[in-house]
Amino acid sequence: MKPKILITRAVFEEVVADLRQTFDVETGGQDPWPPEELRRRAAGMDALMVWGDRIDAALLDAAPKLRAVCNMMVGYNNLDIGACTERGVLATNTPGVLDDTTADMVWALLLAAARRVTESERWLRAGNWKGLRFSEPLGRDVHHATLGILGMGRIGRAVARRARGFDMPVIYHNRSRLSPALEQECNARYVSFDELLSQSDFLSLNLPYSNDSHHLIGAKQLARMKPTAIIINTARGGIIDDAALIEVLRSKRIAGAGLDVFEGEPDFNPGFLALDNVALAPHLGSATFATRMAMARLAAANVTAVFAGERPPSLINPEAWGRRRKSDNSQ
Ligand code: DGY
């Protein structure tokens, strides 16, 4: 009998067809199932390919045969890694295949917020354009402005490399400083967190969400930013305190924001909708055909490796390898 896997969303038919050679595959639709339904569907499965669905101890206990949970994304704050490891469930993600696409999205939001593109489109669609105006709407120059990057992993570095075309000085802050060679490649200068806040004209957040990064940008940090600054978040909701951000955007204490991610998404703070100085997107960072295909294929390679008895290419919890569940489900 083939092992059973559940792919919680609609993915590409060719990826599913490949997986069907090895697995008995069930797939979901475009939208997530409520947690109880996911738990019910996961019971009896040997592996899950998930798309940001919350995988916690309760779900793992409801699915005692699970050998692997393969996130089809790079961020994995939706997975309780400790609970997976305790149960010998291998957890994987998709690093490396979405860096450039996500970095492109940072620039899409940065330019949209700086040049007031989404706000102006709403104005145009509402039939307000009567003639070419001279002194409004006026945005902010991107070229030669200082780009600040918080989190200088692969995506942060891809964002930095793109700044060369705009002749922008780049400053960054990261848990650890980059090697001189990487700093040179990114043309980026290491600064303290405080300097990053106070010197950036554009501040891009490119760090993972964790307990440590929860509300790392709150009222106090926003108050340190220039009144002309624009903040971009394509990383994860929860890194910014959204209520505090809405307050500084409303009072024009900072100039603007470009946001692809939100606290509690998809139920984001409706305060954003009343603001013109924020460009909003529904978590599109990696949403191109080629990149989503690469993410699905990497997740499929991970699950296939597990059932071939091989270490999956992007294992998050190597500690679970020694205690991984075998096909007869013995630990
Ligand atoms: C990720 O991969 O973590 C993104 O947020 C979704 O593409």
Side-chain angles (χ1 to χ4, degrees):
M1 231 170 48
K2 290 178 178 174
K4 291 171 82 152
I5 69 172
L6 176 66
I7 307 177
T8 62
R9 300 301 156 80
V11 296
F12 306 108
E13 205 29 68
E14 46 271 64
V15 176
V16 177
D18 283 354
L19 285 166
R20 284 199 203 284
Q21 294 176 19
T22 316
F23 300 98
D24 185 355
V25 184
E26 277 181 35
T27 58
Q30 291 295 348
D31 292 320
W33 288 306
E36 325 73 64
E37 174 152 15
L38 175 59
R39 217 175 297 147
R40 186 178 62 71
R41 287 177 181 266
M45 291 291 158
D46 296 291
L48 302 177
M49 276 171 62
V50 301
W51 176 237
D53 309 273
R54 178 86 196 128
I55 304 298
D56 55 14
L59 184 136
L60 295 169
D61 289 340
K65 286 172 66 193
L66 273 189
R67 294 175 59 191
V69 174
C70 301
N71 220 19
M72 296 187 283
M73 52 175 59
V74 65
Y76 52 84
N77 54 305
N78 58 308
L79 309 180
D80 183 336
I81 297 297
C84 288
T85 305
E86 253 171 50
R87 291 161 179 77
V89 176
L90 303 175
T92 68
N93 66 340
T94 63
V97 295
L98 49 88
D99 307 335
D100 283 317
T101 299
T102 306
D104 289 351
M105 186 66 191
V106 171
W107 284 90
L109 285 171
L110 187 156
L111 288 162
R115 302 302 300 272
R116 302 174 63 178
V117 175
T118 53
E119 172 192 351
S120 299
E121 183 184 353
R122 282 193 301 280
W123 182 82
L124 179 151
R125 284 177 186 270
N128 291 315
W129 197 17
K130 306 290 182 241
L132 197 52
R133 295 179 171 188
F134 185 81
S135 56
E136 63 176 15
L138 301 181
R140 306 207 161 265
D141 278 327
V142 172
H143 64 85
H144 297 96
T146 298
L147 173 64
I149 301 178
L150 183 59
M152 206 56 154
R154 286 180 308 263
I155 296 173
R157 300 200 297 273
V159 173
R161 285 195 299 270
R162 282 157 174 73
R164 281 186 194 271
F166 290 88
D167 296 318
M168 296 170 85
V170 179
I171 54 178
Y172 77 97
H173 185 75
N174 197 47
R175 259 185 321 200
S176 49
R177 190 170 169 172
L178 298 182
S179 66
L182 276 179
E183 282 191 353
Q184 198 179 1
E185 183 194 311
C186 298
N187 195 26
R189 184 166 64 84
Y190 182 80
V191 293
S192 68
F193 182 39
D194 200 48
E195 282 173 287
L196 185 81
L197 294 170
S198 61
Q199 291 178 19
S200 299
D201 294 309
F202 296 93
L203 175 61
S204 174
L205 308 184
N206 297 106
L207 68 167
Y209 177 81
S210 67
N211 286 342
D212 293 339
S213 61
H214 179 75
H215 285 190
L216 190 57
I217 304 290
K220 195 164 141 230
Q221 291 71 28
L222 291 163
R224 298 284 299 129
M225 293 178 68
K226 295 181 183 180
T228 49
I230 289 177
I231 189 166
I232 312 297
N233 190 9
T234 57
R236 274 293 181 275
I239 297 174
I240 300 181
D241 175 345
D242 281 354
L245 177 59
I246 286 168
E247 194 41 48
V248 294
L249 290 171
R250 190 182 284 138
S251 60
K252 306 264 174 20
R253 176 55 202 81
I254 68 168
L259 304 176
D260 192 38
V261 289
F262 304 87
E263 278 194 283
E265 63 181 58
D267 299 324
F268 63 96
N269 190 321
F272 284 120
L273 298 177
L275 298 171
D276 274 333
N277 52 350
V278 56
L280 305 171
H283 206 144
L284 297 180
S286 63
T288 66
F289 180 80
T291 293
R292 286 286 163 84
M293 180 62 88
M295 293 162 82
R297 287 213 186 281
L298 179 50
N302 277 313
V303 76
T304 304
V306 171
F307 286 82
E310 293 158 13
R311 206 175 162 108
S314 32
L315 183 59
I316 300 166
N317 57 346
E319 323 76 57
W321 181 248
R323 53 204 316 212
R324 66 193 179 280
R325 292 173 174 169
K326 303 288 168 26
S327 51
D328 63 358
N329 213 25
S330 55
Q331 302 253 344

